[in-house]
């Protein structure tokens, strides 16, 4: 058996045990985590392969204008910059929604897990402290997972907002310099 099949089998076994330990809500949290990761990758792709050429085209379009100092020219420049920055910001509300949903999904998993624990304890005739402790530990796993995904998502949002602010400032600076160089 090739090494990758062994690795894949071990990984799937670990994933199955993880989902069994935390319940079906972990699958939903996993899907949300994949969506957060996909948005991060998409934003990286957009920034490197779509935004940079669009930024270059915008600077060239601004430089090719004959007039840069009037109110209408500055307004047009602001509209162009706003449109380009808006394209950078486009997925942020969805990403923020996913990040907010993660802890709530974790809480849902914990509540459903605790209901299962109390239900099984009510059916048992004796007091089983060990079974209750195991059940509580299993019930809190979705909260931990939801919080971990949420923290990673918050880091991604913070980084994206920093990049957007930086690019907004740089774009304004480049257009101002380009206009000054064109008139010099």
């Amino acid at each position: 058996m090739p090494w990758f099949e062994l690795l894949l089998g071990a990984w799937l076994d670990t994933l199955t045990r993880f989902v069994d330990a935390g319940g079906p809500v972990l699958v939903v949290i996993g899907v949300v985590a994949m969506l957060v990761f996909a948005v991060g990758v998409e934003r990286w792709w957009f920034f490197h392969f779509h935004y940079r050429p669009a930024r270059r085209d915008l600077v060239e379009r601004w430089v090719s204008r004959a007039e840069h100092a009037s109110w209408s020219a500055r307004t047009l420049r602001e509209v162009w910059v706003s449109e380009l920055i808006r394209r950078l910001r486009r997925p942020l509300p969805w990403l923020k929604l996913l990040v907010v949903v993660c802890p709530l999904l974790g809480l849902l998993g914990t509540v459903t897990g605790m209901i299962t624990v109390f239900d099984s304890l009510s059916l048992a005739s004796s007091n089983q402290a060990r079974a209750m402790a195991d059940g509580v530990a299993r019930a809190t796993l979705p909260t931990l997972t939801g919080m971990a995904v949420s923290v990673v998502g918050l880091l991604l949002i913070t980084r994206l907002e920093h990049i957007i602010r930086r690019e907004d400032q740089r774009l304004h600076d480049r257009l101002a310099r380009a206009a000054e160089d064109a008139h010099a």
Side-chain angles (χ1 to χ4, degrees), residues 17 33 71 74 79 154 169:
R17 281 188 283 136
W71 175 85
R74 288 191 311 255
V79 167
L154 282 173
Q169 186 62 45

Side-chain angles (χ1 to χ4, degrees), residues 107-184:
L107 184 60
L108 175 67
T110 297
V111 169
T112 57
M114 291 303 292
I115 289 171
T116 304
V117 167
F118 292 136
D119 188 42
S120 66
L121 285 176
S122 69
L123 295 176
S125 60
S126 64
N127 187 4
Q128 299 175 352
R130 178 72 181 152
M132 185 173 172
D134 287 342
V136 170
R138 293 176 82 188
T140 56
L141 186 60
T143 299
L144 173 67
T145 307
M147 293 300 284
V149 171
S150 183
V151 166
V152 170
L154 282 173
L155 292 173
L156 178 63
I157 288 171
T158 302
R159 181 67 182 147
L160 286 174
E161 287 178 338
H162 172 76
I163 289 170
I164 291 168
R165 281 192 306 274
R166 183 190 70 202
E167 286 302 313
D168 188 19
Q169 186 62 45
R170 281 183 178 175
L171 191 54
H172 280 346
D173 292 345
R174 284 182 184 178
L175 292 175
R177 262 195 321 271
E180 289 172 3
D181 292 345
H183 289 299

